[in-house]
Amino acid sequence: MAAAGGRSTMAAVACLALLLGAVCAVDRSNFKTCDQSSFCKRQRNVKPGHSPYRALLDSLQLSQDSMKIQLVNEASKVPLLLEFYGLKGNMTRIRINELNPLKPRYEVPDVLVGDPPTTRLSVMGRDDNSVELSLGEGTHKLILTAKPFRMDLLEGRDLILSVNSRGLLVFEHLRLKKDSFSDKVSSTVVSMWDRIKNLFSREASKEPASEAEGAAEPSEESSLPTEQESAESEKTEEAFKEADEAEEEPGSWEETFKTHTDSKINGPTSVGLDFSLPGVENVYGIPEHAENLRLRTTEGGDPYRLYNLDVFQYELYNPMALYGSVPVLLAHNAQRTLGIFWLNAAETWVDITSNTAGKTLFGKMLDYMHGGGETPQTDVRWMSESGIIDAFLLLGPSPKDIFRQYGSLTGTQALPPLFALAYHQSRWNYNDEDDVSTVDSGFDEHDIPYDVIWLDIEHADGKRYFTWDPNKFPHPREMLQRLAAKRRKMVSIVDPHIKVDSGFRVHNEIRSRDFYTKTKDGSDYEGWCWPGSAGYPDFTNPEMRAWWSSMFAYDQYEGSMENLYTWNDMNEPSVFNGPEVTMHKDAVHKGGWEHRDIHNLYGFYVQMATALGQVQRSGGVERPFVLTRAFFAGSQRYGAVWTGDNAAEWDHLKISIPMCLSLGLVGISFCGADVGGFFKSPEPELLVRWYQVGAYQPFFRAHAHVDTIRREPWLFGEENKALIRDAIRERYALLPFWYTAFYHSYRTGQPVMRPLWVEYPQDATTFSIDDQYLLGDALLVHPVTAQGARGVQVYLPGKGEVWYDARTHQKLHAPQTLYLTVTMSSIPVYQRGGSIVARKERVRRSSDCMQNDPYTLYVALGPQGTAKGDLFVDDGHTFNFETKGRYLHRRFSFSGNTLTASSADPKGSYETSAWIERVVILGAGKPAAVFLKQVGVAETRLDFTHEAETSVLTLRKPAVNIAADWSISLR
């Protein structure tokens, strides 16, 4: 839920937060533009041109796995250290820091899963102004030019990426504040004079001893400045020089936005760097923005902003920051895909420019025909408020290579428990235990499956998380047991703001352990959120995270059980009376780091600690489920995200598709949007269409604001109830396919929900499509997202390929764009020729009830009469698949009129009574007979039916266990 809403009990909070009514849009004035962010404005004032930085080739140091070289700003003379690494898997890493900073600068921890393994670098050539390096065993090489400093990355003779080619490297070094200059000079002079006096007094004290006891050699340690003292002296001299000469710009040491003043004890510390991508016109990623999949250029407007914020009822199609930030950008053309991972957790802005921006297709064709067209190029400029430059270049060359490379750095999507992929029912708020029971029973009465019911903030005692309201939820364990008896689950909200109340055990423990984030003055940081005055635990502190994890133990979280899971909301963090509705940047975390350094990590750490708490409560056996609103690179390791507080509007329905596609491209596959829209009340048509969309998105949850009408699926008339039921049942039938797709994502980093260009990287038609998408590599989905739609335009990609309508089984040849007539029951889905998809068509009230139910295999024959697919099966909830090898990974293959089943991974084994009930072969002729063969069993004949009009062959009851090897022959 957003920092907004109509509650009389929260009137004081609402005033402090300048909250709006539930029918208003975002108040942009509450959030900064680039011009109002002093470092963004300073960096944007640096225009492309010759870089003031020069590489000192004489300082170059080359080891087997890295190159180190000093850079110097010829204006300020401050030296930087550039480190360049070749990484295994076709990646490189660039780090730039001050050579001798006055104090350490923040470097992001915990996001990388380990130190990336390196490859060998070697010098291929060198002259007075450049050096050429080869990277590993491949064909990539790096040319570093000294003056002006730039780096060019080539594959063979092709330039694929340049660094600082536009001269936009900015590194604001740590310095001393001008107004304290004379004081620091005085103290330093006194310190140096004291040191001189001490030196002479020591020498004088030794003279009498030398006469009586023999002369002693003076100690070098006691008489000469140490290397550390010399380095500190050099740093101080550099800082004095800078303080004396530099002209400080407004906002460098203190910045005011609206009523909030941000004091900057370290002064201006921003960093920035530009990357040029020749031959590229299409870039994607850097979520979270309510934006098209393909990113626009930012000339003439604000850059894309990455700064986790609680944005009330966000606007669409603009670069404003939202709840999460993943600083990863993908660049794609028909020849290759590249990625840039900017590892920085501070406020970040990303400018995108292109030399083809604004040109029409006709204009580009004219350029080509006249031979005067320049090579397309996209330039990307990253600007962060603090930290260091730490950038990974993912060199592909294919989209799937990029996902594998990024997954090797930050981890892959955690394999969720199976129930988490089913349908979730939520609202702010289900009122009490009776309300929960009524809603739960309503799904059974109306024959609609669901797995999880959710409780929002009203379930807790006065917004004290880890508690239950004693009047509304007096018997939480009994409530959970009733759900468990139906094999269903519950999710309760646990937000990271803690009510300041001396009678609240959680608050008292955090305060006694000194785990709260601090103000710049050292007191506990407090802000306003749902409980009123609240403290904010310092989740950057590992000890705090460990304590938070321990709170999910069954004896700590009173009333909790194995079927209770967690929702982390408001973890940007949201502070109603803070600047931009978040924490003050000069708040202080463990180690003395300012909040400005770590801001985008806060939600990442909250989800991390919560997920680990769920794992620990089961003794490391059970997989967790945690939904988070704020996120960062690496959040995919800990659970799911959703697109935040959307609205019941058709445009919000449409935007959910590119928003989730963008997240999938940067590792976060477990994404969804509030079905029906959080704010406002949807008309029945919109609600039905949203269920149809949500059923084909990874995270499928209906959720609504407290001020909206109740929206349980049976409240909108029989016809609409039936349509919603059908959409939910389609989801349940496809759960084996979803689960297998998530297993692949866990193993390889491939997105579950993916843009068409990922599978068809050379098809330029797909590069800008974001109203349809692929699930895995087998299903193409084009949801209906327009009001009153009578048809949709569907593009079927793949030269020479075929697709089958999943409902009618009509065979269609690709590539083509077709107009499909739709009704209210239509969910346009196509199965790719050459694929095999497993379904469970006996839909029951929850996914757990379907565990041992039989499978149906849908075999869609490709142009050559072949197909392949797979299925992952385990217990659906533990880590046993990983720790004990208890799983099945089955491979299905159709070739030469024979369908075979075999093990795709002999390392796994799992006993199940689930069997194959039916095989449906799309695009097949009518055989004379069909035979089933198993090892050690006599060949048996199978019954079948054939529909000549659609060429669909249905094989009845092979009745083989899903774990068995077998073959079915068409004769």
Side-chain angles (χ1 to χ4, degrees), residues 370-390:
H370 294 145
E374 58 184 325
T375 301
Q377 178 168 304
T378 296
D379 299 301
V380 182
R381 179 183 191 179
W382 301 78
M383 300 169 283
S384 295
E385 186 175 14
S386 63
I388 68 168
I389 292 173
D390 193 357

Side-chain angles (χ1 to χ4, degrees), residues 414-481:
L415 179 64
L418 179 61
F419 80 81
L421 299 177
Y423 174 62
H424 301 248
Q425 181 68 33
S426 180
R427 121 169 237 102
W428 175 20
N429 205 90
Y430 286 117
N431 299 323
D432 50 32
E433 291 177 5
D434 287 342
D435 198 7
V436 168
S437 179
T438 300
V439 172
D440 176 66
S441 298
F443 278 90
D444 296 332
E445 291 167 12
H446 296 281
D447 193 25
I448 302 173
Y450 96 101
D451 266 60
V452 192
I453 191 165
W454 292 53
L455 295 181
D456 212 316
I457 57 176
E458 310 302 338
H459 85 278
D461 182 9
K463 320 297 188 302
R464 298 171 181 87
Y465 307 111
F466 298 104
T467 71
W468 304 84
D469 185 297
N471 298 312
K472 299 176 181 177
F473 296 91
H475 307 293
R477 181 173 287 273
E478 288 85 345
M479 175 180 63
L480 289 165
Q481 286 171 339

Side-chain angles (χ1 to χ4, degrees), residues 599-631:
H599 175 84
N600 288 341
L601 283 175
Y602 193 88
F604 165 85
Y605 278 133
V606 174
Q607 188 187 25
M608 173 197 286
T610 303
L612 292 179
Q614 286 188 12
V615 173
Q616 290 171 11
R617 74 181 184 179
S618 70
V621 173
E622 297 290 330
R623 305 202 301 261
F625 172 71
V626 182
L627 179 72
T628 181
R629 190 170 71 177
F631 51 84

Side-chain angles (χ1 to χ4, degrees), residues 396-429:
S398 74
K400 293 184 178 181
D401 290 327
I402 294 290
F403 304 136
R404 174 182 51 78
Q405 290 158 358
Y406 181 64
S408 74
L409 295 174
T410 66
T412 58
Q413 178 68 58
L415 179 64
L418 179 61
F419 80 81
L421 299 177
Y423 174 62
H424 301 248
Q425 181 68 33
S426 180
R427 121 169 237 102
W428 175 20
N429 205 90

Side-chain angles (χ1 to χ4, degrees), residues 423 446-450 691 695-696 700 721-735 827 839-845 850:
Y423 174 62
H446 296 281
D447 193 25
I448 302 173
Y450 96 101
Y691 269 98
Y696 284 90
F700 185 22
K721 179 184 76 174
L723 292 169
I724 292 171
R725 180 200 290 124
D726 288 346
I728 296 175
R729 289 175 67 88
E730 282 198 37
R731 173 56 165 241
Y732 276 73
L734 275 170
L735 282 176
I827 312 175
R839 298 169 60 104
K840 283 192 173 184
E841 299 191 325
R842 298 187 187 183
V843 175
R844 303 185 189 274
R845 67 186 176 196
M850 299 166 61

Side-chain angles (χ1 to χ4, degrees), residues 713-790:
W714 52 87
L715 297 177
F716 296 85
E718 286 298 317
E719 184 178 348
N720 292 314
K721 179 184 76 174
L723 292 169
I724 292 171
R725 180 200 290 124
D726 288 346
I728 296 175
R729 289 175 67 88
E730 282 198 37
R731 173 56 165 241
Y732 276 73
L734 275 170
L735 282 176
F737 171 79
W738 280 103
Y739 197 55
T740 302
F742 268 91
Y743 178 72
H744 284 297
S745 186
Y746 168 69
R747 288 295 185 204
T748 68
Q750 310 300 314
V752 171
M753 177 181 176
R754 61 188 69 161
L756 269 60
W757 63 260
V758 168
E759 289 295 324
Y760 299 93
Q762 296 181 321
D763 185 350
T765 304
T766 67
F767 295 173
S768 61
I769 291 178
D770 60 9
D771 58 354
Q772 62 182 71
Y773 52 90
L774 292 165
L775 295 176
D777 60 4
L779 296 183
L780 185 152
V781 186
H782 190 309
V784 181
T785 58
Q787 186 175 16
R790 296 184 178 182

